[in-house]
Amino acid sequence: MISLENTKIHASFSSKGGELQSLRSKETNLEYLWSGNPDYWGKFSPILFPIVGGLKDNTYYYKDKAFTLPRHGLAREREFKVSQISETEILFTLEQDEESLKVYPFEFRLGLRYTLSGDMLSCAYEVTNTGDQALWFSIGGHPAFAVPLREGLKYGDYYLQFNKDHQLISNKIKQDLIDDETETIALTDGKLQLKHELFYEDALVFKRLQSDSIFLKSDADPHGLEFQFKGFPFFGIWSAKDADFVCLEPWCGIADGSHHQQKLEEKEGIMSLNPKEEWTRQWQVTCF
């Protein structure tokens, strides 16, 4: 485990997947991240790259050749290199190798830059096309936050507060693919009360979310967090069945649609970079 800290918060990471695995307040000793209990879901905050969600038949086609990738891609299971580190910032990097080229035929450098500032942790995704052809990719976050944040409270004591939405329109997931069928979820003053049943049929997936900030709060607890995510066109909210966490997932990309023809360049939300171009997005979580 690799750690960063300032006077307010302490964060720990694993080089496998460049994954954030702990985010703790030094003032209250509250742990804001999910515990990673493998009985429910053994991850904490994986990176989704070079796809988000599932592929139809786990397969895509590029230049008339078939390639296979598992749900959410390959990066979360790979060993990242620590390229830079200070007391309050760390940069993990991953590049293509012989194994990745068999399933994803592109040269790239993926950077995960974590920075602490006061009560805030930021996670920046930095993608560079190091090859001589267009780089096609999607990328997303999957951080899981503990609910409840302290003993004596229940999952249903907490809610998500959206800064711009008055209702949510979620696309159904069927067999790991995005369906055209949608569900409208009413909000009360921008609030979505958490309950385990929300996620019994998989994640809530939003293609038209207006908000770029979501608070996790409880009327019975003064502590919570704000999650900010400007520049991400898709968003997911998920929890494993009856588990004590909620994932807030900003995405540049989305799972294949039920009727997708599986060509990588035509995948919904796919992005491309010209040779030597760089691209970046970031999300931030502020603890209180």
Side-chain angles (χ1 to χ4, degrees):
M1 296 291 288
I2 306 162
S3 295
L4 301 178
E5 64 179 306
N6 59 18
T7 59
K8 298 286 190 178
I9 54 177
H10 180 281
S12 297
F13 309 85
S14 171
S15 57
K16 182 181 178 181
E19 187 180 24
L20 171 68
Q21 295 195 347
S22 173
L23 180 61
R24 179 176 52 82
S25 167
K26 294 174 70 174
E27 295 177 334
T28 64
N29 207 35
L30 278 180
E31 175 60 60
Y32 285 81
L33 218 63
W34 158 243
S35 67
N37 183 346
D39 291 341
Y40 293 93
W41 187 60
K43 294 188 179 297
F44 305 82
S45 180
I47 174 73
L48 316 182
F49 178 89
I51 60 169
V52 171
L55 296 171
K56 192 173 184 179
D57 302 323
N58 290 324
T59 302
Y60 70 90
Y61 292 87
Y62 180 68
K63 294 185 175 179
D64 297 322
K65 185 177 179 181
F67 297 90
T68 300
L69 278 175
R71 193 179 195 189
H72 295 323
L74 55 84
R76 61 182 182 165
E77 302 297 339
R78 305 302 292 270
E79 192 72 21
F80 279 66
K81 175 185 176 182
V82 177
S83 295
Q84 299 174 19
I85 189 169
S86 68
E87 287 186 359
T88 58
E89 184 173 276
I90 187 168
L91 174 65
F92 293 97
T93 57
L94 178 71
E95 298 183 356
Q96 83 284 343
D97 57 24
E98 290 184 8
E99 290 304 309
S100 71
L101 289 169
K102 293 175 184 177
V103 295
Y104 181 61
F106 300 95
E107 296 178 29
F108 67 89
R109 181 169 62 251
L110 169 61
L112 306 180
R113 185 182 300 274
Y114 298 96
T115 307
L116 304 186
S117 177
D119 290 311
M120 182 183 74
L121 176 141
S122 69
C123 173
Y125 302 138
E126 302 173 354
V127 181
T128 304
N129 182 350
T130 57
D132 55 9
Q133 62 173 330
L135 171 65
W136 294 90
F137 72 99
S138 294
I139 193 167
H142 205 306
F145 298 104
V147 182
L149 284 171
R150 63 180 177 86
E151 293 183 6
L153 296 180
K154 305 183 299 296
Y155 197 81
D157 291 329
Y158 289 79
Y159 60 85
L160 299 177
Q161 175 87 57
F162 295 78
N163 72 327
K164 295 179 182 179
D165 289 277
H166 303 290
Q167 66 177 15
L168 305 175
I169 300 175
S170 175
N171 281 75
K172 297 281 191 177
I173 299 178
K174 297 183 179 179
Q175 297 180 331
D176 289 344
L177 303 180
I178 301 299
D179 196 74
D180 293 336
E181 182 184 356
T182 62
E183 174 188 10
T184 300
I185 303 170
L187 302 179
T188 303
D189 297 325
K191 298 177 182 179
L192 175 66
Q193 200 70 38
L194 287 178
K195 54 184 179 180
H196 291 301
E197 293 83 357
L198 281 172
F199 311 109
Y200 279 2
E201 295 183 10
D202 213 319
L204 305 179
V205 175
F206 309 113
K207 294 185 178 184
R208 296 179 289 276
L209 196 69
Q210 300 301 308
S211 295
D212 54 20
S213 171
I214 299 174
F215 282 88
L216 172 65
K217 290 182 175 181
S218 170
D219 293 336
D221 188 352
H223 300 289
L225 59 86
E226 181 184 11
F227 189 78
Q228 296 175 292
F229 51 97
K230 290 182 179 179
F232 292 86
F234 307 98
F235 201 85
I237 303 176
W238 175 77
S239 180
K241 187 175 182 180
D242 295 328
D244 286 339
F245 69 83
V246 63
C247 286
L248 303 179
E249 307 180 35
W251 300 335
C252 290
I254 197 168
D256 280 354
S258 305
H259 307 295
H260 181 50
Q261 298 301 310
Q262 298 177 268
K263 292 183 179 179
L264 184 65
E265 302 98 315
E266 298 175 5
K267 181 174 172 58
E268 185 174 12
I270 197 77
M271 299 177 293
S272 67
L273 279 180
N274 292 323
K276 314 312 175 189
E277 278 189 344
E278 300 177 356
W279 176 97
T280 186
R281 288 289 187 282
Q282 69 174 349
W283 53 260
Q284 301 92 24
V285 56
T286 302
C287 305
F288 59 84

